[in-house]
Amino acid sequence: MRSTIRRRCGSALDFALLFVLAAFCAVFVVWPIGSFVWQALPFSGSAPNMLEVLTQNSGAILNSVFVAVLVSLLSCAIALAVALVVTFGRRGWASLVTGLVTLSLASPPFVASLAYIELFGRRGLVTHGLLGLSVSPYGWQGIVFMEALFFTGINVILLDSVLERVDKSAVSAALDLGAPMRRVFADIILPLLRPGVAVCLLLTFVRSIADYATPVVIGGKFETISTQIYVRVVGYSDLGAAAVLNLVLFAASFVAFIAYRRLGSTLDVASKSLGASVRPADDEAGFRLRGALGVFAHVVTAAFSSAIVAVYATIVHAAFTKGMGWSAPLTLDNLTHLMEYNVDAIGRSILYALLSAGASTLIGLLAAYFVHRRRVAGSFLLDFLTSLPYTIPGICLGLGYILAFNRPPLELVGTSTIIVAVLTAKEIAISTRAFTAALAQVPPELDMAAKDLGAPDTSVLWGVLAPNLRSAFGVSLINGFTGSMMAYAAVLFLIVPGHKTAIFELFDALSGGKYGEAAMISLALVAITSLVCAAFGRLLVKRRS
Amino acid sequence: MFLELSHLSKSFGSHEVIDDLCLSVEKGEVMCLLGASGCGKTTTLRLVGGFLAPDGGRVVIDGQDVTGMSPEIRPTATVFQSYALFPHMSVVENVGYGVRFSGATRAEAKQRAMEMLEAVGLSECASSRVQDISGGQQQRVALARALVLGPKVLLLDEPFSNLDANLRIRMREEVRQIQRRFGVTMVFVTHDREEAMSFADRLAIMRNGKILQVATPREAYDHPADLYCARFLGHVNELDVPGGTRFFRDEAVTLGKEGGVLGVVGDATYLGGYWRYELLVGESRVYVRAPANQRYARGATVPFVIDQTIDV
């Protein structure tokens, strides 16, 4: 009797969880995205003339495409070189580079631009301090350089994961059959890399085209689609035109996502080859970075590493000096200013980031469980919806949110709820992917055994599966926290003056020319993110076995 | 009958995996589903356990139709091929896991789990982590975890395939003893004929989703339903002699006895206690067994008599 009641409660809870997942997708994914797409379509009420908007902004669109193509090519070339060093280079050097790549991944969005202005601006340490020039740093060159530098990190991670799957014994076999090292690269490693490089190019293209933070800071008069969307919304309150431009970004990212899906499946096939680490031990034959390729890879990696080091050195320098230039006196003013004026904003950022990291982890777990484990009806749709917010540019998503939530029934604009919701939606995809991958490691017989022993579905999830997914919880929380802490474009339209987050304070300081204060906020953000991630990282450590 | 499968069918997409399958198992009996991989034996087990819903047909246990019951309420328990022990729980927590869902308190669950561990001789590992015990012990934990719920039918999927050869034989005996002690009805799946013959009361030989023959191991070996069943349980020689084709087992001949057939020794293998000779008889090739003291050189012509044939 007691067990029957318990079972009933179990299945009600199970249904409730599925409902939570579906409701979140409906309210915070379908509705906002649907809202801006509807707004842009010619048969909606406030129909803008689509063609007119596009011709008016053709300059910005071309600019965006031009920058995005250059950034993709440059960033992928750098990433390939760095990934080769990370995978095949000497151990110590490789881990140092890995550390720098990780640092670049967890950087606030304006850090590179800030350092760029400090180094190459009118009063820049290099251009003015060393060369005695006074040149404007603003323009497309800066955008290309900064984006390429900071999109490289994620590409390195992706390419490295592909390179790690190179079958060590295939390399040994090629060497054994008499292939010289460059042929091993061309015949064994390159074919495996090709889909990975294609994915990197595509994703970088979309990231660049959707990037708002870099062009707005160092683009100067150079207009891109994202900056135009901002100007349309904030300057002219022309939501229709903004929605049309948004649709352009949406379409580009959607095409890239489909292509990624198709190429991604070839990546998965490649992953089936064995071999723990492809890096040969010192006394073992295997692929080594030598010859022209080796020189190229090491030189580019050294340049990339120095650039990252230079960025952070500049930030630290700017944070603790007064004014610009080599002879600027040391000061703690910026720290005092931070403690006095920015603590609230930083606290808010941490709170939002913790809430959205928690929420996206929970929803990601549910999505992975229902979609990939249980394969409930409508799984394909749920899978698509949970990955959609991640694929579309932050600025698109943010615009969708104001369009959807600025009037009843859900008037959320101006509340903290909408901020947490948009940040959560943005991180679900990664979270789901982490849990899906971890679930794949848990044999399906475990679920069957638990059910066979009488466990209701919810007990299987919490009692049997969740305890075996510790590392996925870690990955999801770290990613969710970092992503939310550094989010700018997605919340651009949603933050109201009294409730600014640290990133907005950073932007305000930066655009007000207070580079020292901006640098100090950047440092604080990096420090906090590292600390919190280190705490979550404990989940990644395997328990004693 | 205690367990009755009637007219079960199951397709995955357009592929028919189980085709109008009927099988009856008596109370306390050990029934083996034997067949090559892909014959549908594991699917049949999943249908009995309630992990899959059949497209048609019924599963009746002890007079109760359980076809629509989900696994958590069905009176069956499964021991999985991989054991499916919960890696984050200790041995006793694993065994007590299912007891909690029958309404027992935590203390009762632990009490019953300990009693069951005692019965399978594992009390001393009760608080060990499941990764830290041996393969044979893991199997007994899986068995205890299933038996503690007092299932009417115990289902085992390739129960010994994860154990090395020596341990396999020992575990077979141990599991058989536990089965006798609890008198539980068992259905197990294997592709290993030796395992099937040594462990089962009766075999059901499967092919392409159908049962070809249900019989005791001896009946099935000596009187197979067809040539496929015959070959599945051991090598079958095929020889054309005046009056038709004869089928016979390797050991069903007397080598060196005149009055039968003449063969030329092609190859000789000593298999410990007996010889296995390859004999060429005209165009045909047969394999026969002979005692250790009957040594023939390669190329020798040897007479032999077929003592027993298989009628198929």
Side-chain angles (χ1 to χ4, degrees):
Chain A
M1 193 50 217
R2 214 157 98 211
S3 59
T4 331
I5 293 169
R6 196 185 281 204
R7 203 157 280 135
R8 291 246 170 81
C9 291
S11 66
L13 188 58
D14 186 54
F15 183 77
L17 289 176
L18 182 58
F19 180 77
V20 166
L21 175 64
F24 185 91
C25 287
V27 176
F28 292 113
V29 179
V30 177
W31 194 12
I33 293 175
S35 295
F36 86 71
V37 172
W38 174 252
Q39 185 83 226
L41 291 178
F43 44 81
S44 76
S46 56
N49 187 331
M50 208 185 256
L51 209 65
E52 198 177 303
V53 175
L54 291 181
T55 35
Q56 260 175 16
N57 294 286
S58 58
I61 294 174
L62 281 178
N63 281 350
S64 286
V65 172
F66 168 71
V67 166
V69 168
L70 283 183
V71 169
S72 316
L73 294 175
L74 192 58
S75 170
C76 281
I78 301 174
L80 185 56
V82 177
L84 282 172
V85 171
V86 166
T87 316
F88 296 108
R90 294 169 73 89
R91 210 168 285 270
W93 175 221
S95 32
L96 178 70
V97 175
T98 310
L100 289 172
V101 166
T102 317
L103 184 64
S104 84
L105 279 176
S107 296
F110 307 107
V111 161
S113 310
L114 176 57
Y116 183 73
I117 294 172
E118 284 276 329
L119 290 172
F120 303 106
R122 268 194 206 289
R123 313 285 295 165
L125 290 172
V126 174
T127 41
H128 186 72
L130 293 180
L131 305 172
L133 303 170
S134 177
V135 293
S136 165
Y138 304 107
W140 62 268
Q141 298 88 341
I143 306 180
V144 170
F145 189 51
M146 290 300 100
E147 286 186 353
L149 191 59
F150 273 79
F151 295 159
T152 296
I154 188 85
N155 291 338
V156 171
I157 301 284
L158 207 148
L159 291 178
D160 177 59
S161 73
V162 176
L163 284 173
E164 288 287 341
R165 295 168 190 160
V166 171
D167 188 355
K168 209 174 180 178
S169 54
V171 172
S172 303
L175 289 171
D176 191 43
L177 294 169
M181 216 49 99
R182 63 191 161 76
R183 297 293 311 186
V184 172
F185 180 75
D187 298 339
I188 311 287
I189 296 176
L190 210 53
L192 201 60
L193 267 179
R194 215 165 280 142
V197 171
V199 165
C200 282
L201 283 171
L202 265 169
L203 293 182
T204 313
F205 182 86
V206 172
R207 269 197 192 94
S208 165
I209 228 175
D211 188 23
Y212 171 72
T214 314
V216 80
V217 176
I218 48 171
K221 292 199 174 64
F222 190 78
E223 289 173 345
T224 66
I225 302 180
S226 308
T227 58
Q228 275 305 300
I229 291 178
Y230 183 78
V231 169
R232 287 289 135 203
V233 173
V234 175
Y236 301 92
S237 294
D238 184 359
L239 289 177
V244 172
L245 289 175
N246 230 354
L247 204 59
V248 173
L249 288 188
F250 182 57
S253 56
F254 193 72
V255 170
F257 177 65
I258 299 295
Y260 169 71
R261 269 286 168 100
R262 293 189 57 182
L263 285 166
S265 59
T266 42
L267 287 180
D268 286 344
V269 173
S271 76
K272 289 208 175 87
S273 53
L274 303 163
S277 166
V278 279
R279 187 209 312 273
D282 287 340
D283 54 353
E284 193 183 10
F287 180 74
R288 287 180 202 285
L289 274 179
R290 284 203 205 120
L293 181 74
V295 171
F296 164 77
H298 279 108
V299 167
V300 171
T301 305
F304 170 78
S305 306
S306 348
I308 301 286
V309 170
V311 163
Y312 276 92
T314 313
I315 298 293
V316 173
H317 176 259
F320 291 102
T321 52
K322 205 185 189 78
M324 290 178 93
W326 290 103
S327 53
L330 288 176
T331 175
L332 287 178
D333 286 1
N334 296 321
L335 188 59
T336 324
H337 186 272
L338 179 91
M339 301 309 281
E340 226 164 283
Y341 295 103
N342 302 127
V343 169
D344 279 358
I346 292 178
R348 241 187 321 270
S349 282
I350 296 176
L351 183 67
Y352 289 156
L354 283 175
L355 285 175
S356 57
S360 64
T361 298
L362 224 59
I363 293 174
L365 172 63
L366 292 180
Y369 174 66
F370 282 113
V371 172
H372 294 281
R373 193 72 165 194
R374 292 264 296 275
R375 296 176 202 281
V376 293
S379 281
F380 179 79
L381 186 67
L382 276 175
D383 188 33
F384 174 72
L385 291 179
T386 49
S387 40
L388 196 55
Y390 176 74
T391 24
I392 73 174
I395 201 159
C396 284
L397 200 60
L399 185 63
Y401 270 63
I402 35 169
L403 288 172
F405 301 116
N406 65 356
R407 54 170 186 250
L410 265 179
E411 201 173 346
L412 296 174
V413 170
T415 64
S416 303
T417 314
I418 196 173
I419 311 281
V420 175
V422 75
L423 294 175
T424 303
K426 197 118 183 72
E427 303 304 334
I428 297 177
I430 300 284
S431 195
T432 307
R433 211 165 293 173
F435 280 112
T436 307
L439 271 177
Q441 302 294 314
V442 180
E445 283 83 13
L446 236 54
D447 306 29
M448 289 198 216
K451 295 224 67 169
D452 191 38
L453 296 170
D457 287 318
T458 39
S459 298
V460 176
L461 178 59
W462 299 119
V464 174
L465 294 177
N468 291 302
L469 300 173
R470 276 166 60 95
S471 64
F473 276 101
V475 170
S476 170
L477 288 171
I478 287 176
N479 176 74
F481 186 82
T482 314
S484 305
M485 204 65 186
M486 306 307 180
Y488 180 68
V491 287
L492 184 61
F493 301 123
L494 305 173
I495 294 276
V496 288
H499 290 84
K500 284 195 175 160
T501 57
I503 285 288
F504 279 78
E505 301 272 344
L506 168 56
F507 180 73
D508 287 350
L510 190 58
S511 50
K514 296 168 188 148
Y515 299 137
E517 289 168 19
M520 188 52 85
I521 300 175
S522 306
L523 280 189
L525 282 174
V526 172
I528 291 165
T529 310
S530 315
L531 276 176
V532 174
C533 289
F536 288 145
R538 298 176 69 96
L539 284 171
L540 298 177
V541 182
K542 282 248 162 65
R543 273 188 290 191
R544 178 193 67 88
S545 63
Chain B
M1 276 298 163
F2 192 68
L3 166 66
E4 187 93 50
L5 314 183
S6 45
H7 306 288
L8 283 181
S9 62
K10 179 73 189 172
S11 301
F12 295 123
S14 61
H15 179 53
E16 193 163 44
V17 184
I18 302 295
D19 177 16
D20 195 36
L21 181 141
C22 298
L23 181 68
S24 306
V25 183
E26 280 174 54
K27 191 173 168 110
E29 188 181 25
V30 177
M31 170 65 79
C32 170
L33 300 177
L34 177 66
S37 41
C39 73
K41 55 194 192 302
T42 297
T43 304
T44 308
L45 203 71
R46 296 269 146 98
L47 290 172
V48 179
F51 301 107
L52 283 174
D55 299 336
R58 297 194 315 148
V59 179
V60 176
I61 295 174
D62 199 9
Q64 187 188 17
D65 188 335
V66 300
T67 316
M69 275 186 197
S70 58
E72 60 264 39
I73 47 177
R74 201 177 275 222
T76 56
T78 303
V79 174
F80 292 85
Q81 182 173 12
S82 58
Y83 311 142
L85 300 179
F86 305 129
H88 58 294
M89 297 183 193
S90 69
V91 167
V92 68
E93 282 168 345
N94 261 283
V95 177
Y97 183 78
V99 185
R100 296 277 286 129
F101 296 108
S102 58
T105 64
R106 198 174 288 271
E108 284 165 10
K110 179 153 190 199
Q111 166 82 26
R112 280 174 57 192
M114 286 306 295
E115 284 165 15
M116 183 50 69
L117 284 174
E118 182 103 29
V120 299
L122 277 178
S123 344
E124 72 278 13
C125 334
S127 52
S128 306
R129 287 154 41 95
V130 290
Q131 294 93 320
D132 296 342
I133 58 177
S134 73
Q137 288 170 327
Q138 286 180 349
Q139 167 144 57
R140 277 186 284 169
V141 174
L143 197 64
R145 189 176 70 174
L147 282 174
V148 74
L149 298 176
K152 290 183 172 169
V153 178
L154 187 65
L155 307 170
L156 300 97
D157 189 5
E158 303 263 357
F160 307 108
S161 60
N162 280 337
L163 305 172
D164 65 49
N166 289 328
L167 188 57
R168 195 175 297 181
I169 294 171
R170 223 182 68 212
M171 282 310 296
R172 236 183 252 160
E173 286 162 9
E174 266 186 48
V175 174
R176 201 64 163 97
Q177 273 172 20
I178 293 170
Q179 186 271 334
R180 281 199 203 99
R181 184 139 27 107
F182 288 87
V184 65
T185 309
M186 261 189 193
V187 178
F188 82 103
V189 153
T190 185
H191 59 261
D192 179 341
R193 67 186 177 87
E194 194 190 319
E195 189 169 300
M197 295 185 77
S198 63
F199 194 72
D201 292 322
R202 283 193 301 156
L203 318 169
I205 301 172
M206 289 187 68
R207 186 189 192 189
N208 296 336
K210 283 187 173 36
I211 291 180
L212 302 179
Q213 183 174 22
V214 182
T216 63
R218 176 147 197 196
E219 268 168 32
Y221 189 81
D222 291 341
H223 305 289
D226 60 17
L227 208 51
Y228 181 84
C229 294
R231 292 209 162 110
F232 206 88
L233 294 179
H235 183 253
V236 176
N237 290 304
E238 188 178 344
L239 191 64
D240 290 325
V241 292
T245 306
R246 294 284 158 81
F247 298 97
F248 57 97
R249 300 267 183 214
D250 298 10
E251 65 278 6
V253 297
T254 309
L255 202 58
K257 190 170 170 186
E258 303 280 351
V261 195
L262 284 179
V264 177
V265 176
D267 201 358
T269 317
Y270 187 65
L271 289 170
Y274 63 90
W275 286 96
R276 188 175 197 238
Y277 288 110
E278 178 201 43
L279 299 178
L280 302 170
V281 184
E283 294 289 292
S284 311
R285 185 188 308 262
V286 299
Y287 293 90
V288 299
R289 276 189 193 185
N293 57 10
Q294 274 189 295
R295 178 76 181 105
Y296 298 101
R298 196 171 296 146
T301 302
V302 188
F304 67 94
V305 174
I306 302 168
D307 300 327
Q308 194 187 354
T309 57
I310 296 170
D311 303 312
V312 286

